[in-house]
Amino acid sequence: MERVRTRFAPSPTGRMHVGNLRTALYAYLIAKHEGGDFLLRIEDTDQERFMEGALEIIYRTLEHAGLEHDEGPDKDKGYGPYVQSERQAKGIYLEYAKKLIEKGEAYYCFCDKERLESLKQVVAGKEIAIYDKHCLHLSKEEVQQKLDAGVPYVIRQNVPNEGTTKFEDEIYGTIEVPNAELDDMILIKSDGFPTYNFANVVDDHLMEITHVVRGNEYLSSAPKYNRLYNAFGWKVPVYVHCPLITDEEHKKLSKRSGHSSYEDLLDQGFLPEAIVNYVALLGWCPADNREIFTLKELVEAFDYHHMSKSPAVFDMNKLRWMNGEYMKAMDPDKFYELALPYIRKTITRELDFRKIAEMVRTRIEVFPDIAELIDFFEAVPEYDVSMYTHKKMKTTGESSLQVLREVLPLLEKQEDYSNDALYELLVNFAKEHEYKNGYVMWPIRTAASGKQMTPAGATEIMEILGKEETLSRLRAAIEKLENEN
């Protein structure tokens, strides 16, 4: 049985789009599910679009996501992936383009920019240039004369005007396109570099890629690829085109959305594991509708035959939920390590940050949520005394003032400010006065935090604040209530 080999072939042009990450992930999962090989190939033949630092982004993203590639030109020596510009320097692509010329499947084109501009026409409201095969009709002698004279040229694919080209896609089925709609695309550019399309086919063949995974925006290019495979007499790989990813408004996920790239999501406080898990479900659904997977579990479960043709909606609320589930399941020490920078950014005083981290761990979905939950530890915010009124607890501003006045002397005498000791003290106080616990705890928590919603109860907050700060806040609350009444 043929060994499954897939590849991820990004261009270093900026941050990695979520769609590109999904392509890499699906290619990785298809290969690993079958015990095959996953390759990384940098497609940098378009030198004008090359962006400084983009290579590092690709490497860092794949490393974060756990998508390790299996080989490269010198992988055994610790070197990285295949790089097309390095392969181009060896003359690989030009050599194969010339083989197509010999077969009549490609030809030299010497047309200058002015002539190409004259070929432009408006089709369906768009200006396009359809090449008219002018240079295909040059004799061998004319071609050689121009080559000898150093006339700039490109090499074009020779696509017949008649007939159709069809191909099979594992997701979209049989797709057939009239050849008249296929332009004689450029294979080798005037700078000697191959086009993305041509280098893609040559490298996939030489690297023995069995399954080609890419976004469905490349569906229209697939017939051209197939014509190249057939022209060379090469085996056509299995095509797996992934569905479009849209935003919640069903528009293509764009950079303007603010969460279109992997690094955008990291910056917003999402965990790599949660991002990978969520991205896996953008177009694929397991048979049992399960949602939470480790990467290893995804390898075991992934079957590309269960991918959808329909666009996948990137739902931020769903991703936030999933991220929250990962946080809840995270090792407390690991969570503390990741949460600490966010805590320190919000609280400048020295408190028990470890306890604060554990306090918020099950109450947040992304790390930036921490600030709003814990900012009261730094200082009590301005709040309205109406917060002391709570129907369920049966408290009012007046009853809260009374409770605070009664507990203040007890808390002033209390030396042990641990949660358990404070809880015992206040529960006993409530029992002695025939108050319900909430009747006592609500005004204390409000006084200590100045918030209706807190990540912990009154005594847990008091323990972290310590005796001096707790008493200071309760006295300020009493004064605030007295001024209102």
Side-chain angles (χ1 to χ4, degrees), residues 399-455:
S399 70
S400 295
L401 177 58
Q402 180 185 345
V403 167
L404 291 175
R405 283 171 171 168
E406 289 173 350
V407 298
L408 184 61
L410 298 176
L411 291 171
E412 288 173 333
K413 292 177 185 177
Q414 179 75 7
E415 293 301 325
D416 185 352
Y417 259 66
S418 66
N419 175 50
D420 291 345
L422 288 169
Y423 187 78
E424 184 180 358
L425 172 72
L426 294 175
V427 167
N428 287 336
F429 165 80
K431 188 175 181 181
E432 289 169 12
H433 289 74
E434 297 184 345
Y435 296 150
K436 290 197 171 181
N437 291 347
Y439 187 83
V440 174
M441 299 296 185
W442 180 261
I444 294 175
R445 184 168 73 87
T446 302
S449 68
K451 288 195 158 191
Q452 279 192 311
M453 302 292 291
T454 59

Side-chain angles (χ1 to χ4, degrees), residues 65-256:
L67 308 182
E68 183 180 356
H69 61 280
D70 290 306
E71 66 178 64
D74 294 302
K75 186 69 163 58
D76 57 329
K77 298 179 184 177
Y79 297 124
Y82 295 99
V83 179
Q84 280 187 339
S85 60
E86 295 173 3
R87 294 166 65 75
Q88 186 270 342
K90 299 175 184 177
I92 293 173
Y93 307 113
L94 183 57
E95 174 192 342
Y96 278 95
K98 287 180 176 178
K99 287 182 179 180
L100 289 180
I101 292 175
E102 291 170 10
K103 292 182 169 209
E105 298 285 352
Y107 57 95
Y108 291 102
C109 174
F110 301 95
C111 292
D112 56 26
K113 286 185 178 179
E114 288 72 25
R115 184 171 192 282
L116 294 175
E117 284 289 328
S118 71
L119 297 176
K120 286 186 176 179
Q121 54 184 283
V122 177
V123 178
K126 290 184 179 180
E127 190 178 55
I128 60 172
I130 300 177
Y131 189 64
D132 60 359
K133 294 182 179 288
H134 173 76
C135 290
L136 175 63
H137 307 297
L138 294 175
S139 67
K140 286 187 178 181
E141 291 73 23
E142 288 175 303
V143 169
Q144 194 58 53
Q145 284 175 5
K146 290 180 180 292
L147 291 175
D148 292 341
V151 178
Y153 69 85
V154 299
I155 297 178
R156 290 182 179 273
Q157 182 181 14
N158 183 16
V159 180
N161 290 326
E162 305 79 27
T164 61
T165 297
K166 67 178 180 179
F167 73 98
E168 298 292 326
D169 181 74
E170 292 296 302
I171 310 304
Y172 292 88
T174 302
I175 295 179
E176 190 166 0
V177 181
N179 288 334
E181 294 181 8
L182 303 178
D183 190 22
D184 283 5
M185 70 174 178
I186 294 173
L187 306 181
I188 301 293
K189 296 179 286 187
S190 58
D191 61 5
F193 276 82
T195 57
Y196 169 85
N197 291 323
F198 184 57
N200 205 283
V201 169
V202 172
D203 281 343
D204 281 347
H205 170 72
L206 295 179
M207 295 174 187
E208 300 178 324
I209 301 303
T210 61
H211 292 65
V212 171
V213 184
R214 57 188 174 215
N216 71 352
E217 64 268 28
Y218 293 104
L219 270 172
S220 60
S221 300
K224 298 179 183 180
Y225 298 152
N226 272 20
R227 294 205 66 84
L228 289 173
Y229 278 107
N230 293 333
F232 281 118
W234 295 341
K235 182 178 179 181
V236 176
V238 174
Y239 288 116
V240 181
H241 284 88
C242 307
L244 180 70
I245 299 177
T246 72
D247 59 21
E248 288 93 336
E249 296 177 356
H250 302 286
K251 296 177 182 177
K252 186 177 179 181
L253 191 65
S254 71
K255 292 180 181 179
R256 291 188 296 276

